[in-house]
Amino acid sequence: MKIRTFSDAMREQFGTKVYRLSLTAGTTCPNRDGTCGTGGCTFCSAGGSGDFAAPLLPIREQVAAAKRRVDGKFPASIPPGSRRYLAYFQAYTSTYGDPETLGKIFREAASIPEICGLSVATRPDCLPDRMVEILSKINREKPVFVELGLQTIHEITAKRVNRGYPLPVFEDACRRLSAAGLPVVVHVILGLPGETEEMMLDTVRYLAGHRPPVSGVKLQLLHVLRGTEMGREYERHPFPLFTMEEYTDLVVRCLQSLPPEMVIHRMTGDGPKRLLIAPLWSGDKKRVMNLLSRKIAAAER
Ligand code: SF4
């Protein structure tokens, strides 16, 4: 097994380390405001899965503030002048709104010289043709990765977590994005209640064989967070969650099921610690990553 991480892929594409800057386009979410649902996905925190995103400021100010944070966190690595950054529109549903207004925000981010590309996180039911066209135009200048929150292919789980759209909607979005030349990155949550490991692997295998191909995947551990519907459900009736050993074993099995060219954007999760109810071991990301690295190295031998 050989894996290609986000960091590897960025180095291949840009010749240097690329840092993500978490930004917000000021959008909300149709699964919260009643357009396609209310209450949101049951695992999603009030920050709309963008708990680290910058507050709503003009985009250049957001980029400057996010850069200061990133440069402060990684001071000793690559000198700030030669760093490259990916503008990551992470909070809520980043394409939910007027395509022209959002396009202006995305274009402005792409026009900043140190920004080497964009990553736009959204739902597959929020990609009207005009939005796809705008993203595709920007993609001709600088790469635009479109991240889709699929989480699972199983309708029974999708209903249980109130995802708010069925699988064919994802397939249609993938087809249209791919036809427009936009690389698709898919979010998968491992550990959703009611799912067996085989069901989670089904989702990963589905993505492995997907046509048109998806370019990358984000594997995320389910974080049960305070203030979410799932947090309340868990506190009323705790459901089984992975131990660190089980989770890292499953991630290795997922990686073994994916084609070597697929970019692995994430293997754990980034839930805000202050909201984390469970699993508490996931708060020690360094330990999780160390264990995972050892298991991946063993599987690669
Ligand atoms: S996960 Fe995404 S789609 Fe679901 S409620 Fe949160 S912001 Fe909306």
Side-chain angles (χ1 to χ4, degrees), residues 213-249:
V214 301
S215 89
V217 67
K218 273 190 175 174
L219 301 173
Q220 321 201 63
L221 167 72
L222 174 71
H223 285 105
V224 180
L225 300 178
R226 234 176 294 286
T228 63
E229 190 47 44
M230 191 172 287
R232 287 184 281 278
E233 184 187 337
Y234 183 79
E235 282 175 333
R236 280 193 308 268
H237 305 288
F239 47 82
L241 294 170
F242 285 124
T243 62
M244 196 190 309
E245 280 296 338
E246 288 165 345
Y247 180 73
T248 46
D249 283 346

Side-chain angles (χ1 to χ4, degrees), residues 29 31-32 40-41 43-44 48-49 92-93 123:
C29 170
N31 200 18
R32 288 175 170 272
C41 306
F43 51 80
C44 179
S49 296
Y92 293 109
T93 302
R123 297 169 53 90

